[in-house]
Amino acid sequence: MSEEFFNKEKSMKRWKNQKSIDNWSDRMKKYVYPALADKPIIEINARDLTAILIAIWNTKTETASRVLYQIKQVFN
């Protein structure tokens, strides 16, 4: 699901440059995919998302905020 979102947004030129594209993709690959890759989106719950965010919130608050934003974009 997130790959579909990513490819659609990329084709619509949502990001301003390649670095933004790479950062978006890298954050998803590093923080979200390992925890949720095998789970259908319908089965993802708040506990799953909280676990992802807690793991990075205290050390990388800005990254956690961006990951949360990206997850929201995919779900919307």
Side-chain angles (χ1 to χ4, degrees):
M1 172 73 79
S2 65
E3 289 294 323
E4 292 170 18
F5 170 82
F6 178 76
N7 290 331
K8 182 184 121 207
E9 295 292 305
K10 188 176 172 185
S11 71
M12 293 172 53
K13 302 192 187 303
R14 180 180 186 281
W15 292 286
K16 295 177 182 162
N17 57 51
Q18 188 62 44
K19 183 177 178 184
S20 295
I21 292 168
D22 294 342
N23 287 341
W24 202 99
S25 180
D26 290 345
R27 280 190 296 270
M28 293 298 279
K29 287 176 185 172
K30 184 173 183 179
Y31 300 109
V32 180
Y33 294 166
L36 303 178
D38 297 329
K39 221 171 191 187
I41 197 164
I42 193 90
E43 294 179 13
I44 296 171
N45 58 46
R47 194 172 304 148
D48 298 324
L49 302 179
T50 301
I52 292 168
L53 296 171
I54 284 175
I56 55 176
W57 199 270
N58 292 326
T59 57
K60 300 176 182 177
T61 308
E62 183 63 30
T63 299
S65 293
R66 290 178 182 182
V67 169
L68 176 58
Y69 174 78
Q70 289 175 212
I71 291 170
K72 286 179 180 179
Q73 293 298 304
V74 172
F75 272 88
N76 285 337

